[in-house]
Amino acid sequence: MEKRSGFNSKLLPYLFLAPQLLISGIFFFWPALLAVWQSFLKEDAFGLKTEFVWFENYKEIFHDSNYLNSIFITLIFSISVTLICLISALILAGLVNKIKAGKYIYQTLIICPYAVAPAIAGVLWYFLFSPSIGYIANILNILGFNWDPSLNGNHALILIILSASWKQISYNFLFYLASLQSIPKSLLEAASIDGATPIRRFIDIIIPLISPTTFFLFIMNLIYTFFDTFGIIFTTTQGGPGYSTTNLVYKVYVDGIVNLNLGGSAAQSVILMIFVSLITILHFRFVEKKVHY
């Protein structure tokens, strides 16, 4: 008979949960509720006068062409970074999983970028691709490619995509390596004996077995691109030239801190929160069915 453990007091489980609930309430739910309330207000630049305007802030931002452009930039940026991170990390994990000599050295070197703060990663890539002093920019100029992210919006977008991907690949690599190492070798050996080519083994065995990891990483990469890349954009392009690299989270900062439009900025943050929640719900609703646990 299975022995079940329990608490002697009904209050004790709630006491264990209390610290986490308190932290979530203070640092997530309370600021989120304040943002929702702030999104219905309009304040002057000095905070001396406040007016309740209902959905006026929401109407204004959807008539703002820069905001609509930031949605487009966010989609391109998020999809590009997510795909680059997933594909690159899977290739690196597959290679490291096969090598014997120096395996731990390769693992350590690939994991190192994850310890770098986003702002520092942005500075590093800014110097590498700087048109005046950057090594990579000089090579591109020698090859006849007029690289200048300070003037060309496409170049600036490529720069922040590469910076954000480099920072996040190591995170994906760790999960993919652990997932590949958990695949029973007997399955791959049996398929090989049956005549399955490496590509066929990858498609029919490896991809289904690592699909839970891919599903998890897809969600985490999206959240990363939506919220954790502010430091990279701030230190590399500052949203420019123009608004060519201003994604949704950076637009919240520009309107709230730089332009002092607190109500509009709060409304944007509420929309961003709803947008990410919808993507996550839709992903769980439709994509999770194809995941094999």
Side-chain angles (χ1 to χ4, degrees):
M1 183 177 179
E2 184 181 357
K3 185 179 180 181
R4 300 183 62 181
S5 59
F7 295 100
N8 295 326
S9 171
K10 292 183 178 179
L11 184 62
L12 193 57
Y14 297 102
L15 290 177
F16 284 131
L17 288 173
Q20 180 61 47
L21 293 175
L22 187 65
I23 291 173
S24 299
I26 293 175
F27 293 103
F28 179 74
F29 292 109
W30 177 244
L33 290 174
L34 283 180
V36 173
W37 170 248
Q38 186 77 39
S39 68
F40 295 109
L41 303 177
K42 188 178 284 289
E43 294 184 27
D44 63 4
F46 301 100
L48 301 176
K49 183 180 178 183
T50 302
E51 181 184 0
F52 190 80
V53 294
W54 288 100
F55 294 94
E56 190 65 31
N57 290 321
Y58 292 93
K59 292 179 182 176
E60 288 182 0
I61 61 176
F62 280 111
H63 286 87
D64 182 0
S65 60
N66 291 328
Y67 182 76
L68 299 178
N69 180 66
S70 68
I71 295 176
F72 178 68
I73 296 297
T74 301
L75 291 176
I76 294 177
F77 177 71
S78 301
I79 293 172
S80 301
V81 172
T82 300
L83 290 179
I84 291 173
C85 288
L86 289 176
I87 295 172
S88 302
L90 181 57
I91 293 173
L92 290 171
L95 293 174
V96 170
N97 193 39
K98 287 184 177 299
I99 63 174
K100 302 295 181 184
K103 182 176 183 177
Y104 295 107
I105 295 175
Y106 287 118
Q107 289 182 24
T108 305
L109 291 175
I110 295 173
I111 294 169
C112 280
Y114 190 63
V116 179
I120 302 300
V123 171
L124 292 173
W125 281 80
Y126 173 79
F127 280 115
L128 284 174
F129 282 89
S130 172
S132 57
I133 59 175
Y135 290 109
I136 298 178
N138 287 333
I139 293 173
L140 292 173
N141 288 327
I142 291 171
L143 295 174
F145 191 78
N146 190 20
W147 172 267
D148 193 350
S150 61
L151 297 176
N152 190 308
N154 292 329
H155 294 178
L157 186 58
I158 292 172
L159 176 59
I160 64 169
I161 287 173
L162 292 176
S163 305
S165 301
W166 175 80
K167 173 76 178 66
Q168 187 70 358
I169 283 174
S170 51
Y171 178 84
N172 291 256
F173 166 80
L174 279 174
F175 283 90
Y176 270 136
L177 182 61
S179 183
L180 290 174
Q181 289 176 342
S182 67
I183 296 176
K185 292 184 178 179
S186 58
L187 283 177
L188 299 174
E189 291 171 354
S192 180
I193 293 172
D194 289 339
T197 62
I199 295 177
R200 179 55 60 188
R201 295 199 296 272
F202 179 77
I203 295 174
D204 292 341
I205 299 176
I206 295 177
I207 286 182
L209 290 178
I210 65 172
S211 59
T213 303
T214 303
F215 176 74
F216 167 76
L217 290 175
F218 186 86
I219 297 292
M220 296 307 295
N221 286 334
L222 279 182
I223 294 173
Y224 163 74
T225 56
F226 273 92
F227 294 109
D228 293 342
T229 52
F230 172 83
I232 291 175
I233 297 174
F234 183 79
T235 53
T236 51
T237 63
Q238 295 190 337
Y243 281 87
S244 58
T245 56
T246 300
N247 63 358
L248 288 174
V249 71
Y250 199 82
K251 187 74 166 57
V252 171
Y253 161 77
V254 170
D255 285 353
I257 303 299
V258 179
N259 299 331
L260 295 179
N261 181 8
L262 299 180
S265 177
Q268 292 178 34
S269 64
V270 172
I271 292 173
L272 179 61
M273 184 168 55
I274 295 172
F275 190 54
V276 174
S277 301
L278 281 177
I279 290 177
T280 305
I281 292 171
L282 290 174
H283 200 70
F284 271 95
R285 177 71 176 80
F286 296 106
V287 181
E288 193 184 23
K289 294 178 179 177
K290 299 181 181 179
V291 176
H292 302 276
Y293 291 101

